[in-house]
Structures are given as structure tokens and as C-alpha cells.
Amino acid sequence: MHRRTRSRILAWLAALGLAVAPALAMSPRRLMQFGVEAAQQGLWREALFRWEKAVKDDPENARLRNNLAVAYESLGRLEEADREYLEALRLAPDSREIKDNHVSFRKMHPGFQGVENAPAQPPAAHP
Amino acid sequence: MPRPSLQRLIHNRRVLPALGLALLAAWSQAFAKNDVVRVTLAVPVPERIDMTGVRRILVTRLVVDQEVSEFDLGKEVVTAIRRDLHQRARLDMIDVDPPSLPEQPLQELLANTGFWRRMAEQYEADLIITGQTSFKAADRSGYVQVDAISPITGQRVRRSQFVEREAFILDLRLFFLRGSTGELLDEDHFNGEETYRGHGTDRLGGMFDLYEQMAEDIRGIVAPGWRQVQRNLFTE
């Protein structure tokens, strides 16, 4: 390969690496905030992508699980939403905000009554 | 020992930072919930009853609690149901004269699965919608407080004024039955009231306005839809 072409490709790769690296290195907290910003603009797939990544690093975070549940709900993935709400409530049983979300969710989807004992699973991979 | 006055306390250099810290703590307590934001999302809601294999839907005549002199209430409500489910939910509504129901208490009739199965066979219906309805008008006239400009002083004054008003009330109880088995799949009760200024508002128009208010909920029983809901998100 021509030396000039090779150096150009390397430069492009370096630039790409610089651009992507901060996103890959985001902390769960930063991912959570980034997801909220996306959600507030209605970009629920982007928010879901961020929160799924954050939950992998911080699976015991009830607040993250709650946000993940809301994202699943907005995308119509109701079983996953219910599972995440239950997991969030298991981790933070006194959280009024999570309780409110879950009660409202169950009112809209009465078919989910009686699955409280469903085992918690890690969030499914983003399609 | 003399008690320190408030003024002296405020001017004391050791007290001021402590006071500042206390205020900061109180402020952060008050805004502790700032890490929660409310978002509105449009949530896809699946239909309430299993519509697998349901293609043709029959709406029967409805049981009318009290006839309305101006129009045929049962017929008009059936028209509204059919039109809404066909146009907005793209459902195949059987276009026939709505079959009448025998003079029998509706609850007894609902338990008679054979009756519904035979009706479904006759009309080749996968789903039957039946129900009971009533429409009433009520006088809501009375005194209300109105703001007006006084012609003498030019000032805004509040006074009581008699206002003629009329309310229309539509009550609708619907039952959804599976054609193949005659079993009752779902039932729901809808009720709406709308008040109009003056008397003589078109009653049929009022009835359709009230149906429109409940149409989305009725549609949600047999067709998927979208709902606006609010949820709490944590920012950190």
C-alpha cells in the first residue's frame, strides 16, 4: 500500500478512536445523564442503549433499573418493562417515584398482575 | 450575662458562616428531589381482548333504558360504534340491520352462550358487541359570578348573573362476546357529561360529542392504540 494512503488511513482511525473513546469510557452516572437527555428529546432507543450499558456496570442501581423500565415501556417492550420495575422496587422498596411508575404501569396493563415473583434477569441486549 | 441581640449575632463573624451553612443545608433539603424529572411518553397499549382470529364484528341493537323522543338512541349509538371501529381501528364491521335482543334481562342473556353462538353463526361474526345505553338531558341553569365593567364608574365589578345551561349525559355499558364460543370476553362502563350554554342544543349532536369522548377507551378494548403517560426518571 502506498505510504501516503496508509498514513491517511491511520490518521482517520486515530480520529475515529478519539471520537469514540469518550463514549466507550462513560461512567454509569454519565451514561444515566446522557440517557435522560436523550429521553427528554424523545430519543428512547438512544436512552435505552445508554441505560442498558450502565446497568451492566451497575446492576444494583435501582434508579437505573427504573429508567430502563421506562424506556422499555415507551418502546412497547412491556414484559421487560415490568421485570425492570419489579427489580427496581426490590432494590429500593421505599422509592415513591418508582412505586408511582409501577402502579401506573400496572393500571394500564392489568395483564401483568401476579408476576411479582418472576425472577429478575439481566437486561436484554439492544436490538 | 446579657442575651445577644439578633443584630449582634448577624454581625458576629463566627456566626455568619454557620448561618450560611445552615441555609445551604435547608436549601439542598428543599431541592433534594431535583434529581427526578417527569417525562411524557406515548405508550403503545395492546388491545384488551385477544383478537387473534377475529375478523368480522357484529354490533347488536342495544338495550335502551329510556327512549329519547328526538332520535333513535340505540340505532345512533350502534352507528357511532361501527363507524369509529371501522374508520379508526380498521376493523371489519358487519354492515347489517343490527339484530334485536329478546326481552330478557341482559345479565341473564349474557350467560346464555348458546344464544350468542347461534347469532354469530347466522351473521358469520367472530366477535359480538352488545350493551345497554341511556341518554338524559338535565337543567344546569343557575347563578354564576361574572366580571363586568360598570357603566357608571368604569371599574371592574363582580356580580351574580342567571345563566341558562343544559347538560347531556350519555351512559353506555358494553359487552364483548366471542362468536365461536358465545363466552363473555370483556365488559366496560362508560359515562360522560357535557354542559352547554342555553337551551335547545341539538341533542343528537350532543350525543355524538359525548360518544367521541369515550371512543378512544372503547377502541382500546379491541384495537391497539397509544396513550400519553407521565413517568419519573432519575437524572443521577
Side-chain angles (χ1 to χ4, degrees):
Chain A
M1 195 185 289
H2 197 274
R3 189 184 284 180
R4 206 169 146 191
T5 314
R6 200 166 51 187
S7 60
R8 268 189 189 168
I9 291 171
L10 283 172
W12 271 106
L13 284 174
L16 190 69
L18 281 173
V20 170
L24 293 176
M26 271 187 189
S27 66
R29 191 181 166 186
R30 182 72 195 105
L31 283 167
M32 187 166 185
Q33 289 167 344
F34 199 96
V36 170
E37 285 163 24
Q40 285 178 310
Q41 293 171 56
L43 306 170
W44 287 100
R45 284 187 187 282
E46 181 61 25
L48 179 66
F49 174 72
R50 302 291 165 177
W51 291 332
E52 277 179 340
K53 276 183 82 164
V55 163
K56 275 180 190 156
D57 289 341
D58 191 3
E60 298 293 300
N61 187 331
R63 295 168 155 236
L64 263 175
R65 294 276 186 177
N66 168 80
N67 288 10
L68 195 55
V70 176
Y72 280 135
E73 192 184 350
S74 76
L75 295 169
R77 293 164 66 173
L78 304 179
E79 282 181 22
E80 289 150 299
D82 192 56
R83 188 193 65 212
E84 290 302 327
Y85 278 133
L86 289 172
E87 184 60 9
L89 279 172
R90 186 187 67 78
L91 294 165
D94 297 327
S95 167
R96 190 176 52 80
E97 289 83 6
I98 301 174
K99 265 185 207 163
D100 286 352
N101 280 353
H102 192 231
V103 166
S104 170
F105 172 84
R106 281 284 178 94
K107 264 189 192 166
M108 284 191 69
H109 308 287
F112 285 100
Q113 301 291 348
V115 290
E116 271 84 354
N117 297 324
Q121 293 164 12
H126 185 64
Chain B
M1 190 178 161
R3 283 177 64 185
S5 70
L6 183 65
Q7 205 171 13
R8 205 176 292 166
L9 264 177
I10 288 169
H11 284 98
N12 186 329
R13 286 186 181 192
R14 271 181 297 181
V15 171
L16 261 183
L19 196 67
L21 275 174
L23 280 173
L24 191 68
W27 182 83
S28 59
Q29 279 275 318
F31 292 92
K33 291 289 174 193
N34 265 359
D35 58 351
V36 178
V37 290
R38 296 277 285 170
V39 289
T40 303
L41 50 150
V43 180
V45 185
E47 61 271 29
R48 261 175 35 194
I49 58 178
D50 180 11
M51 293 290 282
T52 312
V54 173
R55 210 172 55 82
R56 284 165 56 84
I57 301 175
L58 176 72
V59 186
T60 70
R61 279 195 81 85
L62 306 179
V63 175
V64 177
D65 288 341
Q66 194 182 336
E67 292 291 347
V68 183
S69 57
E70 291 87 346
F71 57 91
D72 183 342
L73 176 63
K75 190 180 157 202
E76 297 299 345
V77 174
V78 168
T79 303
I81 295 171
R82 275 184 183 179
R83 190 171 48 209
D84 188 70
L85 294 184
H86 175 67
Q87 289 181 352
R88 292 193 179 143
R90 304 272 170 231
L91 291 171
D92 186 1
M93 310 304 292
I94 300 174
D95 192 14
V96 290
D97 193 25
S100 304
L101 302 177
E103 293 216 355
Q104 186 182 356
L106 195 55
Q107 287 301 330
E108 277 179 29
L109 195 60
L110 288 167
N112 186 350
T113 53
F115 170 78
W116 300 109
R117 222 173 38 239
R118 281 190 296 278
M119 184 186 275
E121 271 171 22
Q122 187 184 344
Y123 290 91
E124 294 185 52
D126 303 309
L127 185 78
I128 297 174
I129 302 175
T130 190
Q132 194 164 6
T133 188
S134 72
F135 180 80
K136 288 174 196 149
D139 189 12
R140 295 277 188 267
S141 302
Y143 284 94
V144 293
Q145 297 285 321
V146 288
D147 286 334
I149 305 294
S150 165
I152 302 160
T153 62
Q155 288 181 317
R156 186 180 294 274
V157 288
R158 177 159 288 191
R159 58 192 169 89
S160 294
Q161 188 182 13
F162 186 78
V163 178
E164 288 199 334
R165 287 179 304 194
E166 186 178 30
F168 295 152
I169 304 135
L170 177 67
D171 191 273
L172 182 58
R173 198 176 284 272
L174 289 177
F175 304 92
F176 299 78
L177 302 115
R178 187 174 296 287
S180 57
T181 59
E183 65 174 322
L184 179 65
L185 294 174
D186 204 335
E187 63 177 277
D188 211 333
H189 183 206
F190 307 91
N191 189 283
E193 177 171 336
E194 189 72 54
T195 304
Y196 299 88
R197 210 178 170 105
H199 287 286
T201 308
D202 174 40
R203 294 189 175 203
L204 183 58
M207 191 282 289
F208 279 120
D209 284 349
L210 286 167
Y211 182 82
E212 191 58 32
Q213 288 175 19
M214 48 186 80
E216 193 183 347
D217 289 332
I218 294 170
R219 221 163 37 238
I221 298 172
V222 290
W226 293 85
R227 282 280 175 87
Q228 299 275 329
V229 294
Q230 289 225 309
R231 293 285 181 265
N232 300 308
L233 280 183
F234 294 103
T235 56
E236 53 189 63

